Amino acid sequence: MAGPSPSLPWVVVDGAEREVQAVSSFLRDRLLSDVSPLTCRSYAFDLLRWSRVLWLLDVGWEQATEAETAAMVGGYGLLGTRSGNVTAWAGFQLGR
């Protein structure tokens, strides 16, 4: 969603509409290194996908390991899409 200021034009929010601070911090760092706002928007969407996967797998940002990364990448390959339905993917990963 649109951010609160030009210094943070995009934010990722959780299911309760709270800003995901780890993502905002990363995006602010990118903007300070003179990355295009559109690049930050792309990063925000990628991190939103990653956050949704972690939420669905009930894994905290700091607890994520290579296993979650491999599961996400593998899930995309099995569904044949990079931007597919994360809920369908997570259901597949969880055996639902």
Side-chain angles (χ1 to χ4, degrees):
M1 75 186 291
S5 69
S7 65
L8 188 61
W10 305 102
V11 295
V12 172
V13 296
D14 63 15
E17 298 293 317
R18 293 180 305 237
E19 181 179 341
V20 179
Q21 291 298 323
V23 172
S24 292
S25 177
F26 175 81
L27 295 175
R28 261 191 215 94
D29 287 347
R30 298 307 78 165
L31 286 166
L32 289 173
S33 66
D34 204 26
V35 170
S36 157
L38 291 178
T39 299
C40 281
R41 180 178 183 269
S42 178
Y43 288 161
F45 277 110
D46 289 339
L47 291 166
L48 175 60
R49 280 186 213 94
W50 174 241
S51 295
R52 286 178 174 168
V53 167
L54 294 179
W55 297 328
L56 288 167
L57 296 175
D58 197 27
V59 174
W61 181 275
E62 294 83 13
Q63 289 75 40
T65 66
E66 279 184 48
E68 286 77 28
T69 304
M72 185 171 102
V73 171
Y76 286 144
L78 291 170
L79 291 176
T81 179
R82 263 201 61 164
S83 60
N85 183 320
V86 173
T87 304
W89 172 86
F92 174 81
Q93 287 294 316
L94 297 173
R96 295 181 183 158

